[in-house]
Amino acid sequence: MDFSLSEEQRMLKDTVERLVRETYDFEKRQKIAASEEGFSRDVWGQLAELGMLGVPFAEEFGGLGSGGVDLMILGEAMGRGLVVEPYLSTVVLGGGLIDLLGSAEQKESLLNAVVGGETLLAFAHGEPDSRYEPAHVRCKAEKTGGGWTLTGRKSVVLNGAAADQLIVSARISGGHDDEDGIGLFLVGKDAANLKVHGTPGIDGTHVAEIALDGVEVGADAVLGTPGACFAAIEEVMARAIVMLAGEAVGAMEVAVETTVEYLKTRKQFGKALSQFQVLQHRAVDMRISLEQAKSLAVLAAARLGEPRAVREMAISAAKAGIGQHARIVGELAIQLHGGIGMTWEVPVAHYAKRLVMIDHLFGDTDHHLERFAALSDAAA
Amino acid sequence: MDLNFTPEELAFREEVRTFLKSKLPDDIRAKIKGGKRLVKDDYFRWHKALSEQGWLGSNWPTEYGGPGWDPVRKHIFEEECYAYGAPRILPFGVNMVAPVIMKFGNQAQKDYYLPRILDLTDWWCQGYSEPGSGSDLASLRTSAVREGDHYIINGQKTWTTLGQHADMIFCLVRTNPDAAKPQEGISFILVDMNTPGVTVRPIILLEGEHEVNEVWFDNVKVPAENLVGEENKGWTYAKYLLTHERTGIANVGSSKAALLHLKAIARDQVKNGRPLIEDPLFRNRIAKVEIDLMAHEMTNLRVLAEVQSGGAPGLESSILKIRGTEIRQEITDLARRAIGPYAMPFQSEALDEGFNGEPVGPDYAAPIAQQYFNMRKLSIYGGSNEIQKNIIAKAGLGL
């Protein structure tokens, strides 16, 4: 058993941590988060220059061909800086789907553009009534002429408004929650009959509601084999959860550090808050949650390359566990800061928001507890 | 990063399994699996089997007869023992007093006591706690007064686990009542339980079991050569012992075995005509504790890897104590709830070997509520979980 990072992983960690530390201070982050697009073209360009946008892909696309641990490392650094750049949507989800399902031409044109920072992608998958069920797809794809026509709605799509290309999931056959019968289609942002309504998220990220009212795409827009895309969807969501787990750990580290520092400096009743035992114990609860979250993130990252049954148990364990621990850390960070923790001006409040919102992505604690129980039954 | 065990570690796991299958007596295993009461002889036979294999002093350096296992092997050994249904290894001799004697004892003490611990000649119990001290151990009052080549001990110890079976007790005693600080003036001394003036009285715990005792000292005359290390330096030795006590406190193996048992119960119990394990609320409770246990096990392995590569566990050992005990308690709580109304009957006699009566409820029900109440001790002993939080706050967070 070996928990140490390889030489390459240490270098990756140093590179991304330095970038975040040196170019992404809190004020700048706030400006970027409040901007129209919800990210910074400058920062994105720097990420591309440093090779960060290719990390999960094969070497021929300028990547490191690496797995879960690298995603966790990237997530952790971005979590520490509350980075809002569209890495999950463009690289992990969008790029991941093209990597898994794309034809040689699609990979050649799209992956290179993603890695180079020229193209942004979004995965339009969730729907108004799908909640967190990944197989729930009602949006319809009908074969028309040489191509397909898409009709339906997609909701809370990460970075949906900024994306140059959407990858839309749509049902070709079967019932609305069947795993079989789901197809994936590339849709350009300027397509006719496509409506994209972007909105800021409460945590500084940006999402979009999308309506497809008979959007026509050609045969070259098909990703993979129509009707047989679910396994790839599950796999890129697993990768996204690994990165998100890392992000939660990074954000939790900062929230714990900041709160401990505050307890040492803030005085009440003539002494530092850190001298009140009840507050010490609550800070310890935060620290313990951080440790447990880190363990689950490591587990999920290390199991990402394993067969599905092993991988998904670790993924659901991580997402359910981290959902609970992130909430504990987020809520206590606010509580221990007292009134000031309730204000827009302090960074820790924004860490708390991101920590709580992470539970709303790719399945919340309840969803993954239930899923873990089912996987655990199946394994028994 | 590679979370898989090495081929050598997997081979070691097989070796432990083979040993357990051939050397753990079936009747003892059946008692553990059925939650029955163990008697002294059960512990003795299990410890004897380990001793003959050379595996009893698993924490001991090879020069004293330890097997030379690294932290990961110790972890695998513990996990396999619990999974197979072995009793816990009583720590008082091998894991508590022995490390203190090795580090601070003189040559004569090492030569005399250590082999007797390994071959089970002496059974040890611990004399740390006192009625008035609790977690504030340094406030202890039992006195030892030097008279020629003896100490005269007076006072009372409490919570002495399995002291009714012990031949020897290691005690913290106050040798200098005028010391400036309570931690000073304490000594570490070894006492033969058969010395005149030593009285052991049972304390019956809330679940009805005789597990712990009071030990009274009334002008007990102990040879001065039984003093370990220097007079008035006992607090240093006591702290050293406690750090040893906390290794292995993660309880991963024991919790894993208990979780499997809980799931078996939940499959057998019925709610609304269906197995309880299919009940959405209950299955989520099980899933939550199972995930907590996965996280805890990973934390434990991360700490072990750190120790293996030469690092010393800091606040992590306190985190392991807190989480390990909380998770173990949660599992026993769920087991109690799983059996529903059958948690109520108090069937103490059903825990005895050879019980021929008709058990009330399913055969696994009798020990469940008693175990739940007994396990409340986990967050209290070994430095209560609140004390552990104080340690993390101070040493880990600098508060």
Side-chain angles (χ1 to χ4, degrees):
Chain A
M1 200 168 295
D2 175 14
F3 292 92
S4 56
L5 300 180
S6 67
E7 194 52 42
E8 290 79 13
Q9 288 165 340
R10 259 197 302 276
M11 276 166 56
L12 174 67
K13 187 172 158 74
D14 289 347
T15 306
V16 63
E17 277 180 354
R18 194 177 325 114
L19 177 73
V20 171
R21 202 171 46 240
E22 289 173 3
T23 70
Y24 219 81
D25 65 64
F26 181 69
E27 268 175 47
K28 185 169 172 193
R29 185 266 180 190
Q30 291 299 74
K31 276 198 197 111
I32 294 170
S35 69
E36 179 72 23
E37 284 200 304
F39 73 101
S40 156
R41 296 272 168 187
D42 277 356
V43 174
W44 195 248
Q46 288 178 56
L47 283 167
E49 259 173 52
L50 290 168
M52 295 297 110
L53 304 186
V55 169
F57 308 125
E59 277 176 45
E60 56 176 309
F61 302 109
L64 303 174
S66 50
V69 175
D70 301 71
L71 283 175
M72 179 181 74
I73 289 168
L74 287 170
E76 217 172 307
M78 295 194 191
R80 288 195 67 93
L82 282 189
V83 172
V84 293
E85 303 306 302
Y87 199 96
L88 267 183
S89 56
T90 293
V91 179
V92 180
L93 295 170
L97 285 170
I98 289 161
D99 186 31
L100 287 172
L101 298 175
S103 64
E105 299 84 58
Q106 285 168 330
K107 285 192 193 178
E108 176 67 29
S109 66
L110 281 167
L111 276 192
N112 282 324
V114 163
V115 173
E118 298 123 36
T119 290
L120 296 178
L121 301 174
F123 180 31
H125 182 50
E127 298 184 2
D129 61 350
S130 63
R131 205 171 168 79
Y132 299 121
E133 200 41 65
H136 182 110
V137 173
R138 282 182 193 276
C139 178
K140 263 194 320 203
E142 287 170 302
K143 217 162 182 171
T144 47
W148 296 77
T149 300
L150 309 174
T151 307
R153 285 186 60 191
K154 293 288 170 181
S155 57
V156 200
V157 175
L158 300 181
N159 301 104
D164 304 299
Q165 298 259 3
L166 300 172
I167 297 173
V168 176
S169 60
R171 183 152 299 283
I172 292 157
S173 63
H176 64 262
D177 52 5
D178 285 349
E179 291 180 4
D180 290 334
I182 300 171
L184 292 171
F185 303 88
L186 286 157
V187 177
K189 69 169 170 186
D190 299 325
N193 304 324
L194 175 74
K195 239 189 281 172
V196 179
H197 172 59
T199 169
I202 193 166
D203 58 6
T205 61
H206 284 238
V207 294
E209 294 295 296
I210 291 171
L212 301 110
D213 187 15
V215 173
E216 292 177 17
V217 296
D220 57 348
V222 171
L223 207 52
T225 309
C229 295
F230 185 75
I233 292 173
E234 197 179 61
E235 192 170 339
V236 293
M237 286 177 71
R239 294 181 190 174
I241 286 171
V242 166
M243 184 168 184
L244 211 51
E247 189 187 335
V249 168
M252 286 162 93
E253 283 170 1
V254 176
V256 173
E257 289 161 13
T258 310
T259 305
V260 166
E261 213 38 56
Y262 183 76
L263 291 178
K264 288 182 193 171
T265 47
R266 169 77 171 163
K267 285 206 165 90
Q268 294 272 271
F269 303 104
K271 52 183 179 178
L273 291 183
S274 60
Q275 290 175 266
F276 293 92
Q277 195 180 51
V278 67
L279 301 184
Q280 291 176 3
H281 284 197
R282 299 194 120 191
V284 169
D285 291 339
M286 294 173 75
R287 182 64 183 74
I288 293 175
S289 273
L290 165 62
E291 202 64 41
Q292 307 308 297
K294 203 178 272 183
S295 290
L296 289 168
V298 166
L299 183 68
R303 294 276 184 256
L304 191 59
E306 305 270 325
R308 181 187 180 270
V310 177
R311 178 189 80 199
E312 292 301 323
M313 286 260 296
I315 291 294
S316 273
K319 194 63 178 55
I322 287 171
Q324 298 167 68
H325 292 301
R327 180 186 153 203
I328 288 170
V329 170
E331 289 180 356
L332 281 177
I334 295 173
Q335 177 72 22
L336 296 188
H337 274 78
I340 196 76
M342 291 297 299
T343 65
W344 191 271
E345 65 168 298
V346 295
V348 78
H350 298 272
Y351 282 86
K353 285 192 287 182
R354 181 61 181 157
L355 282 171
V356 172
M357 282 306 120
I358 282 174
D359 198 39
H360 292 262
L361 296 173
F362 312 116
D364 66 4
T365 294
D366 289 345
H367 174 85
H368 281 286
L369 272 180
E370 175 52 35
R371 187 167 182 268
F372 178 86
L375 290 163
S376 176
D377 276 0
Chain B
M1 203 174 282
D2 179 6
L3 303 195
N4 297 308
F5 290 104
T6 64
E8 294 76 27
E9 286 162 351
L10 292 175
F12 174 72
R13 192 185 283 279
E14 279 310 312
E15 189 187 347
V16 175
R17 282 183 186 161
T18 308
F19 163 76
L20 284 160
K21 273 185 200 146
S22 61
K23 294 293 164 61
L24 175 65
D26 287 341
D27 60 316
I28 297 177
R29 181 173 186 235
K31 280 188 180 183
I32 294 286
K33 291 280 180 188
K36 304 278 186 190
R37 189 175 285 128
L38 296 183
V39 296
K40 180 179 181 179
D41 186 54
D42 297 326
Y43 284 114
F44 188 84
R45 284 184 291 146
W46 168 230
H47 286 61
K48 193 83 189 162
L50 288 169
S51 177
E52 284 165 0
Q53 181 78 4
W55 286 0
L56 183 58
S58 63
N59 281 321
W60 294 24
T62 43
E63 57 170 311
Y64 294 115
W69 291 339
D70 58 30
V72 172
R73 278 177 171 70
K74 277 180 234 167
H75 170 81
I76 291 172
F77 172 68
E78 185 195 296
E79 189 172 280
E80 287 303 319
C81 285
Y82 279 114
Y84 192 71
R88 71 183 180 119
I89 296 168
L90 298 179
F92 314 107
V94 280
N95 293 328
M96 290 183 171
V97 76
V100 172
I101 292 173
M102 284 175 207
K103 186 153 173 87
F104 304 105
N106 58 38
Q107 197 57 48
Q109 288 167 337
K110 292 181 200 178
D111 292 344
Y112 181 75
Y113 290 112
L114 296 178
R116 292 168 67 92
I117 291 172
L118 268 200
D119 72 9
L120 303 170
T121 307
D122 292 333
W123 279 72
W124 285 82
C125 62
Q126 83 155 296
Y128 266 30
S129 299
E130 296 191 8
S133 61
S135 289
D136 182 13
L137 184 58
S139 69
L140 64 92
R141 294 167 60 176
T142 295
S143 69
V145 177
R146 180 84 187 237
E147 282 185 7
D149 54 0
H150 284 80
Y151 285 97
I152 305 296
I153 301 181
N154 280 286
Q156 183 194 353
K157 294 289 174 182
T158 191
W159 312 128
T160 310
T161 304
L162 300 180
Q164 69 268 37
H165 304 320
D167 307 300
M168 296 289 298
I169 183 169
F170 56 90
C171 290
L172 289 178
V173 290
R174 192 162 293 287
T175 34
N176 177 8
D178 304 319
K181 290 201 277 182
Q183 290 86 343
E184 294 165 5
I186 291 172
S187 298
F188 193 102
I189 198 163
L190 314 175
V191 182
D192 187 328
M193 296 290 278
N194 291 315
T195 318
V198 176
T199 311
V200 179
R201 293 181 194 158
I203 299 172
I204 304 303
L205 292 178
L206 75 174
E207 87 279 20
E209 295 297 298
H210 176 198
E211 184 178 63
V212 293
N213 303 272
E214 295 177 328
V215 180
W216 294 77
F217 298 88
D218 181 17
N219 287 319
V220 174
K221 196 174 167 188
V222 178
E225 67 205 38
N226 285 20
L227 179 78
V228 175
E230 287 178 57
E231 195 176 272
N232 297 328
K233 293 282 168 64
W235 189 248
T236 309
Y237 317 148
K239 281 197 299 186
Y240 179 77
L241 181 150
L242 287 175
T243 61
H244 270 264
E245 185 187 12
R246 275 203 280 279
T247 57
I249 202 94
N251 256 324
V252 172
S254 147
S255 286
K256 276 185 155 180
L259 180 69
L260 281 179
H261 189 52
L262 165 64
K263 285 182 166 183
I265 293 173
R267 271 187 217 104
D268 189 65
Q269 287 287 309
V270 172
K271 182 181 170 186
N272 296 329
R274 296 178 62 186
L276 180 62
I277 201 160
E278 293 175 18
D279 175 65
L281 192 54
F282 202 81
R283 71 194 258 115
N284 276 9
R285 288 192 169 127
I286 294 179
K288 183 178 179 304
V289 78
E290 187 171 353
I291 291 169
D292 284 346
L293 181 53
M294 283 168 83
H296 177 59
E297 181 181 19
M298 285 303 296
T299 307
N300 190 35
L301 291 171
R302 285 168 52 216
V303 173
L304 292 181
E306 192 68 30
V307 173
Q308 194 123 309
S309 59
L315 78 167
E316 289 86 358
S317 65
S318 288
I319 291 182
L320 291 177
K321 201 268 173 174
I322 294 169
R323 289 305 290 153
T325 55
E326 285 174 348
I327 287 166
R328 189 71 182 76
Q329 288 180 331
E330 176 69 11
I331 294 170
T332 55
D333 178 64
L334 288 175
R336 168 181 67 76
R337 283 146 60 153
I339 58 171
Y342 281 116
M344 187 70 96
F346 183 46
Q347 309 177 70
S348 189
E349 67 285 356
L351 303 188
D352 281 329
E353 193 174 12
F355 170 71
N356 285 324
E358 183 76 7
V360 178
D363 57 1
Y364 50 75
I368 298 290
Q370 281 182 286
Q371 280 171 358
Y372 162 80
F373 285 112
N374 181 272
M375 287 295 154
R376 296 300 99 196
K377 72 189 176 192
L378 297 183
S379 47
I380 299 169
Y381 72 28
S384 72
N385 285 13
E386 286 74 19
I387 294 291
Q388 302 304 327
K389 288 190 178 183
N390 290 351
I391 293 170
I392 298 172
K394 201 171 167 191
L397 302 180
L399 291 173

